[in-house]
Amino acid sequence: MFEPNISSNLRIMGVVNTTPDSFSDGGRFDSIAAAVAAAGQMIADGADIIDIGGESTRPGSRPVDVDEELARTIPFIEALRRISDIPISIDTNKPEVMRAAVAAGADMINSVSALRDGDALQVAAELDVAVCLMHMQGTPETMQQDPRYDNVVGEVMDFLRERIDAALQAGIARHNLIVDPGFGFGKTLEHNLLLLRSLNRFHALGVTVLAGMSRKGMIGTILDKPADQRLYGSLSAAVIAAMLGADIVRVHDVAETADALAIVKALARVSS
Ligand code: 9MG
């Protein structure tokens, strides 16, 4: 019999990107105002964390330089911090951006390279904030070209175990660690589905578990629909992840996800 394993601390992370294609407008000031408005709406809709990124990690995307990433994210973090005390996550791999973001008011680092860049491990330890370590095979530019695994769940878990050990060795507290299998980051549809089926196994790693599938290619491939028509598929994926013990779901559609997860939370309140 299937028994759900619902987190007692299930949270929604709302995604706000500050890449130029995210907000079409005339200039930097307008885009900050638009991003703050988008984040404010997410907070009103039930977000528990806001994730802010200044470098796209979509398949095929190219890296941006540090000054550009700082210019896109730091004024936004400062502006959001002025209007809300919501936990803010900075989606970056760059140690300089991590430092500046935390100084501007961020509470968490979301590293899709699992702190493998430069002295990111040491910087994260020094900053003493929550850190998400995500699995990715390859880099965003090339990762979807021919991803291969012999045993995707085992290999992703081994990688995350190794990164947890590296983080602990660097002095990052275990209570600050979050792991994420990295749906869509160097994975075929089958790899993603195998990871989703096995999500409850990731709790054996002994830290918080985050899952992000919102609007991703895995949903688009199953439904044969473009990104703007993946809401119901994304909600289904969020509910499955929550039933399999995800503690944090990273999503674009906060209001709809909050309703979907309210049903999951109701289920957690009754025992079998
Ligand atoms: C930045 N980003 C895009 N997708 C993501 C995912 O699935 N997890 C995390 N932690 N970050 C992501």
Side-chain angles (χ1 to χ4, degrees), residues 31-52:
S31 64
I32 292 170
V36 171
Q41 186 61 53
M42 285 182 177
I43 295 166
D45 289 342
D48 300 291
I49 306 167
I50 299 290
D51 190 39
I52 296 172

Side-chain angles (χ1 to χ4, degrees), residues 76-191:
F76 173 31
I77 294 171
E78 289 167 344
L80 181 56
R81 189 43 83 232
R82 279 196 286 275
I83 63 148
S84 171
D85 59 4
I86 185 128
I88 297 176
S89 159
I90 176 70
D91 157 21
T92 189
N93 295 317
K94 297 187 180 74
E96 300 91 329
V97 179
M98 294 172 189
R99 271 191 205 287
V102 172
D107 310 274
M108 171 176 167
I109 296 164
N110 177 19
S111 174
V112 300
S113 72
L115 301 179
R116 284 178 292 164
D117 294 43
D119 61 349
L121 269 175
Q122 289 68 36
V123 170
E126 231 178 83
L127 294 171
D128 193 23
V129 292
V131 180
C132 180
L133 305 168
M134 199 197 77
H135 175 272
M136 166 166 56
Q137 185 181 88
T139 63
E141 208 170 342
T142 56
M143 64 193 179
Q144 289 307 107
Q145 282 170 11
D146 186 22
R148 284 168 194 250
Y149 302 84
D150 291 324
N151 166 359
V152 66
V153 177
E155 287 169 49
V156 171
M157 283 189 71
D158 285 349
F159 170 86
L160 292 174
R161 204 174 285 114
E162 183 273 317
R163 295 314 295 160
I164 291 171
D165 288 347
L168 294 173
Q169 280 288 323
I172 299 177
R174 180 175 280 277
H175 67 79
N176 271 338
L177 291 176
I178 300 165
V179 288
D180 180 342
F183 292 101
F185 284 81
K187 283 133 192 140
T188 63
L189 174 59
E190 189 183 353
H191 297 143

Side-chain angles (χ1 to χ4, degrees), residues 22-73:
S22 310
F23 296 98
S24 51
D25 54 58
R28 191 80 81 190
F29 176 79
D30 289 347
S31 64
I32 292 170
V36 171
Q41 186 61 53
M42 285 182 177
I43 295 166
D45 289 342
D48 300 291
I49 306 167
I50 299 290
D51 190 39
I52 296 172
E55 176 176 69
S56 177
T57 52
R58 286 195 198 122
S61 59
R62 311 279 300 270
V64 299
D65 70 35
V66 64
D67 291 335
E68 180 58 25
E69 202 178 321
L70 287 167
R72 288 179 186 175
T73 55

